[in-house]
Amino acid sequence: MEALIPVINKLQDVFNTVGADIIQLPQIVVVGTQSSGKSSVLESLVGRDILPRGTGVVTRRPLILQLVHIDPEDRRKSNEENVSKKNGRLNRGIEGEEWGKFLHTKNKIYTDFEEIRQEIEAETERMSGNNKGISDEPIHLKIFSPHVVNLTLVDLPGITKVPVGDQPKDIEIQIRELIFKYISNPNSIILAVTAANTDMATSEALKVAREVDIDGRRTLAVVTKLDLMDAGTDAMDVLMGRVIPVKLGIIGVVNRSQLDINQKKLVADAVRDEYAFLQKKYPSLANRNGTKYLARTLNRLLMHHIRDCLPELKTRINVLAAQYQSLLNSYGEPVDDKSSTLLQLITKFAAEYCRTIEGTAKYIETAELCGGARICYIFHETFGRTLESVDPLGGLTTIDVLTAIRNATGPRPALFVPEVSFELLVKRQVKRLEEPSLRCVELVHEEMQRIIQHCSNYSTQELLRFPKLHDAIVEVVTSLLRKRLPVTNEMVHNLVAIELAYINTKHPDFADACGLMNNNIEEQRRSRMRDLPAAVPRDKAAAGGSQSGPVSEQVDGGTGNWRGMLKRGEDSAGERAVSQSPFPSSPQRGHAVNLLDVPVPVSRKLSAREQRDCEVIERLIKSYFLIVRKNIQDSVPKAVMHFLVNHVKDCLQSELVGQLYKTALLSDLLTESEDMAQRRTEAADMLKALQKAGQVIAEIRETHMW
């Protein structure tokens, strides 16, 4: 079981090498107020003076202190020889039985502990300045000694209330945030230090410990300065847990006084004096207090805590290793063969682009439609519904139809509905299908542009390594799409123009509409026959009916009687003038009438024949429009697929190779982003550290059969 703590020390070394704090390792965090004796407790555990001394906030950066127990005869850092060549000589081992090593000084060995203290002060001022400010960047120190037990301790700045000197005004908040950063780690043991000459109930260390460790399962209390209590008082009730109970226990210690420190009293001598004091003042508790008992207790607690945390730690390391392996894969390997790499990336992008259109891409979007699915949606939902929403007679009034009929007849009265008016009106309606058709092309073009970004983000992340290559590929594909857009638009325009070029009234689907028109004409003739007076001969009525003229008017005015027809014309003209002019008036006798001043009719009641003629034309327009709309709805998607989508799919690979696969462009296109190489190195180092940590934990679990 004692081998567990070296395991954590090895893990700490592993993660220190990559400068990462992603794994919360089991460690002992020392918490207390200023001048509560925290530094003295740590130095007692080390057995050496290594920490800076002074007034106010002396510890201004977290100090992660690893104590490594070595055999007395071992004079090396590890079981292997530390061999270094210098000036042609071999230097084997380390002088002295105790030494220290900082992470930031790499392989430098410190055998003078005064030099270690000076280095802590210098490194603190380097990061925190000399204005008594604090920093959360830790200092890592390892102490190798045969006189220590295996521990990992974290010394933090002492809790303070009022800033002094040049300290920041929010120094209290800064220190509390720093303390909570470490004690919030569920794998940490909190060593709450309180001076015996203060009220235990007001202990700030126990207060902050309880905020994160409500159950008290990982808090150990240390009562310092037992020898400085007021005369006639003792700490018996406190040490017995009668004042403030602590689950992991309360241990009392006696520190060196400032006079002892000034007189260079050795820590070993202080420990002996502490034992004598405990035997004299607290004989019944002497064997459960003191620095040596504290060291053994901390070692035991940390050992059991590590055992409990190790399975979860192993799982965490495995998860992180998988994540960093995936991250490293996304960064890719350093490029050796640039020509081959460029061709592979181009080919992969082209293949992914085509697969995204076909719906066989590896990364399928689940949040929204993408690629070929969206193109299909544009064809059959967006474009199809837009065409279906176009009213065949939209924008066309009855007056427009009647005007077209009259304009198509010229100066001659019409006997039949002129076919020219139908063509004129139906072309006007068919022309309205061109705008949504061109909009369909635009939407598909936009989607094919979006596919570029989709492939870059999800399918071919390797392109992110080479921003210049990515930009070049985007430019080539965008240029290809841009060149195909006018060609596709022209084809869609021609599809509508083809429909406008020849109105095929013999179209099979249009035959029913023509039959409907003939039936209407026949119905008109029969209706007129039924309305004739009995005195009119049927042969004349038939003759009049064959001319499609208003029979009742011929009877009233006399057939061939042009004066009567003129009379009727004058009467009807007068009636229309009265009904249509906003200021009804009749020209005075002797004044000429300017026919050009007659107002254009806006609305009036149509005659029965005009109503029937307009209805016939409207039905024919609607019937033929539906035929053309069906053709356009079918032919436009086909044209877009042939001239835009399929053409880009077929030519993308060759276009990319032709534009980018050039010797002169290799070095420039395959230039990685500035931070990519660094990120790859960091990910590789972290993955190596995680794998090594996993091996260390696996070894200890196999050794102890866990």
Side-chain angles (χ1 to χ4, degrees):
M1 294 295 289
E2 190 67 23
L4 289 178
I5 295 179
V7 169
I8 295 302
N9 290 337
K10 290 181 181 179
L11 293 178
Q12 189 72 60
D13 292 341
V14 167
F15 293 113
N16 288 345
T17 58
V18 293
D21 192 22
I22 59 174
I23 296 291
Q24 295 179 319
L25 297 175
Q27 54 193 6
I28 300 171
V29 182
V30 184
V31 180
T33 58
Q34 286 185 22
S35 303
S36 61
K38 294 190 298 84
S39 298
S40 296
V41 171
L42 290 176
E43 287 181 338
S44 298
L45 295 174
V46 176
R48 291 285 192 139
D49 292 332
I50 61 171
L51 299 177
R53 294 283 182 173
T55 58
V57 180
V58 178
T59 304
R60 295 188 286 128
R61 287 179 60 183
L63 175 65
I64 298 179
L65 178 62
Q66 292 178 254
L67 305 182
V68 182
H69 177 79
I70 58 174
D71 294 332
E73 65 274 9
D74 190 352
R75 297 296 181 264
R76 297 184 302 275
K77 176 185 175 183
S78 62
N79 292 330
E80 299 177 354
E81 287 188 339
N82 182 15
V83 181
S84 62
K85 293 185 178 181
K86 186 175 182 181
N87 298 327
R89 295 179 300 174
L90 293 179
N91 181 24
R92 298 178 181 272
I94 300 173
E95 295 295 333
E97 65 177 5
E98 298 176 297
W99 66 90
K101 181 180 177 181
F102 288 97
L103 177 64
H104 63 272
T105 58
K106 304 301 180 184
N107 296 321
K108 183 177 180 180
I109 304 299
Y110 295 82
T111 55
D112 185 355
F113 282 82
E114 178 64 23
E115 189 178 357
I116 291 177
R117 185 184 61 78
Q118 294 174 358
E119 180 61 30
I120 293 176
E121 292 178 346
E123 181 65 12
T124 298
E125 292 186 359
R126 186 181 68 84
M127 291 295 296
S128 305
N130 54 9
N131 65 341
K132 299 299 182 180
I134 65 171
S135 170
D136 61 353
E137 187 69 24
I139 299 175
H140 295 268
L141 172 62
K142 293 186 71 173
I143 300 296
F144 299 84
S145 172
H147 308 298
V148 299
V149 295
N150 291 300
L151 289 175
T152 300
L153 302 154
V154 180
D155 186 21
L156 296 175
I159 301 173
T160 184
K161 292 293 184 180
V162 181
V164 295
D166 296 333
Q167 289 181 350
K169 294 183 178 180
D170 62 341
I171 187 69
E172 178 186 4
I173 298 176
Q174 292 185 26
I175 293 176
R176 284 182 62 87
E177 290 178 350
L178 181 59
I179 290 174
F180 277 104
K181 176 181 177 181
Y182 282 88
I183 65 176
S184 297
N185 173 13
N187 294 336
S188 66
I189 295 176
I190 304 173
L191 189 64
V193 179
T194 304
N197 55 359
T198 62
D199 190 350
M200 191 74 170
T202 62
S203 172
E204 286 289 335
L206 289 175
K207 177 183 177 182
V208 297
R210 285 187 174 182
E211 291 186 33
V212 295
D213 181 30
I214 300 176
D215 298 333
R217 295 180 179 178
R218 53 188 183 91
T219 300
L220 175 67
V222 174
V223 179
T224 62
K225 303 181 182 181
L226 292 176
D227 56 331
L228 298 182
M229 297 189 68
D230 293 339
T233 62
D234 60 30
M236 184 66 70
D237 290 340
V238 172
L239 296 178
M240 293 293 292
R242 296 168 184 165
V243 178
I244 301 292
V246 180
K247 284 188 178 181
L248 294 185
I250 302 175
I251 299 176
V253 296
V254 177
N255 303 330
R256 291 180 297 169
S257 65
Q258 188 62 44
L259 178 63
D260 294 336
I261 296 173
N262 295 338
Q263 294 178 351
K264 305 295 182 180
K265 183 177 182 179
L266 297 178
V267 176
D269 295 338
V271 171
R272 284 194 297 269
D273 293 344
E274 175 192 50
Y275 180 74
F277 174 82
L278 292 174
Q279 287 289 350
K280 179 180 179 182
K281 292 286 294 183
Y282 304 96
S284 61
L285 302 177
N287 61 342
R288 287 183 289 160
N289 289 275
T291 300
K292 290 186 177 180
Y293 180 78
L294 174 62
R296 292 194 303 269
T297 302
L298 289 175
N299 178 270
R300 174 177 55 81
L301 290 175
L302 186 60
M303 179 181 63
H304 288 287
H305 199 61
I306 292 171
R307 183 191 61 186
D308 296 337
C309 296
L310 212 55
E312 181 182 352
L313 198 61
K314 174 66 174 176
T315 302
R316 174 67 175 162
I317 289 175
N318 290 339
V319 171
L320 287 174
Q323 293 176 352
Y324 274 91
Q325 181 66 62
S326 177
L327 183 63
L328 187 61
N329 293 339
S330 68
Y331 293 154
E333 297 293 334
V335 178
D336 296 327
D337 187 351
K338 293 186 176 181
S339 177
S340 175
T341 301
L342 178 60
L343 186 59
Q344 289 177 1
L345 290 175
I346 289 176
T347 302
K348 184 173 183 180
F349 178 87
E352 285 296 330
Y353 190 92
C354 295
R355 283 198 289 265
T356 302
I357 294 176
E358 295 168 358
T360 58
K362 180 179 179 181
Y363 298 93
I364 298 178
E365 184 68 48
T366 57
E368 61 179 355
L369 293 178
C370 178
R374 190 173 186 86
I375 293 175
C376 179
Y377 182 86
I378 292 172
F379 285 157
H380 302 291
E381 297 294 331
T382 305
F383 177 61
R385 290 183 178 179
T386 302
L387 289 187
E388 291 174 359
S389 66
V390 177
D391 184 6
L393 301 176
L396 194 64
T397 64
T398 304
I399 295 298
D400 295 335
V401 176
L402 184 59
T403 302
I405 294 175
R406 288 184 171 182
N407 288 337
T409 61
R412 299 173 301 279
L415 298 178
F416 302 99
V417 177
E419 190 171 334
V420 177
S421 62
F422 164 71
E423 289 195 6
L424 177 66
L425 294 172
V426 82
K427 286 182 179 180
R428 171 180 166 181
Q429 298 305 102
V430 169
K431 184 68 175 176
R432 299 170 60 211
L433 299 176
E434 183 175 10
E435 182 180 351
S437 300
L438 294 176
R439 178 58 180 162
C440 176
V441 178
E442 183 180 351
L443 291 175
V444 174
H445 175 267
E446 292 175 357
E447 178 56 28
M448 296 192 72
Q449 191 74 34
R450 289 178 65 246
I451 295 176
I452 303 175
Q453 192 64 35
H454 174 81
C455 293
S456 301
N457 292 341
Y458 299 100
S459 303
T460 53
Q461 293 186 357
E462 294 90 341
L463 286 178
L464 301 179
R465 295 176 53 193
F466 311 107
K468 291 185 177 180
L469 176 59
H470 175 267
D471 294 342
I473 289 178
V474 171
E475 179 61 30
V476 171
V477 181
T478 302
S479 177
L480 179 59
L481 291 172
R482 193 184 303 118
K483 287 189 296 185
R484 298 306 302 174
L485 185 58
V487 177
T488 310
N489 281 335
E490 181 66 21
M491 182 59 197
V492 171
H493 173 77
N494 287 337
L495 288 176
V496 179
I498 288 171
E499 297 291 346
L500 296 174
Y502 179 66
I503 304 301
N504 183 17
T505 56
K506 294 296 185 181
H507 192 283
D509 295 339
F510 195 62
D512 294 339
C514 292
L516 176 64
M517 183 184 69
N518 293 332
N519 292 337
N520 282 334
I521 294 175
E522 181 63 22
E523 181 63 26
Q524 293 175 23
R525 189 187 67 81
R526 293 177 180 175
S527 177
R528 287 196 295 271
M529 292 292 291
R530 288 194 299 268
D531 295 340
L532 286 177
V536 180
R538 291 293 174 179
D539 55 346
K540 291 185 178 182
S546 64
Q547 295 176 359
S548 299
V551 179
S552 60
E553 293 181 0
Q554 294 177 5
V555 173
D556 293 339
T559 303
N561 187 347
W562 64 272
R563 292 181 182 272
M565 294 176 63
L566 180 60
K567 179 71 167 55
R568 288 193 303 273
E570 292 176 353
D571 295 341
S572 62
E575 292 175 0
R576 287 196 298 273
V578 171
S579 62
Q580 296 170 4
S581 175
F583 303 99
S585 62
S586 58
Q588 298 180 1
R589 188 177 302 278
H591 287 78
V593 179
N594 186 358
L595 297 179
L596 297 179
D597 290 339
V598 177
V600 177
V602 177
S603 62
R604 63 181 177 84
K605 183 177 180 180
L606 301 180
S607 65
R609 179 183 175 183
E610 288 174 340
Q611 184 69 32
R612 285 191 293 268
D613 289 348
C614 290
E615 290 179 359
V616 169
I617 291 296
E618 289 176 354
R619 290 181 182 180
L620 292 177
I621 291 173
K622 183 175 182 180
S623 177
Y624 195 82
F625 180 87
L626 296 178
I627 295 172
V628 175
R629 186 173 72 180
K630 183 178 180 181
N631 294 341
I632 294 296
Q633 191 170 353
D634 179 65
S635 59
V636 167
K638 293 179 178 178
V640 174
M641 287 298 298
H642 177 72
F643 286 92
L644 181 60
V645 180
N646 290 342
H647 187 277
V648 171
K649 284 173 54 182
D650 296 340
C651 300
L652 181 59
Q653 171 78 9
S654 58
E655 188 76 13
L656 288 172
V657 173
Q659 295 287 338
L660 303 179
Y661 191 64
K662 299 176 181 178
T663 305
L665 299 177
L666 286 177
S667 299
D668 187 49
L669 293 178
L670 294 181
T671 300
E672 288 186 321
S673 58
E674 296 180 357
D675 60 338
M676 182 57 69
Q678 179 181 354
R679 289 160 62 187
R680 185 191 299 110
T681 301
E682 292 176 352
D685 292 343
M686 180 56 66
L687 179 61
K688 183 178 180 180
L690 290 167
Q691 292 173 342
K692 185 176 180 180
Q695 293 174 358
V696 171
I697 294 179
E699 290 175 2
I700 195 65
R701 294 187 69 182
E702 291 176 0
T703 303
H704 293 278
M705 299 299 292
W706 289 347

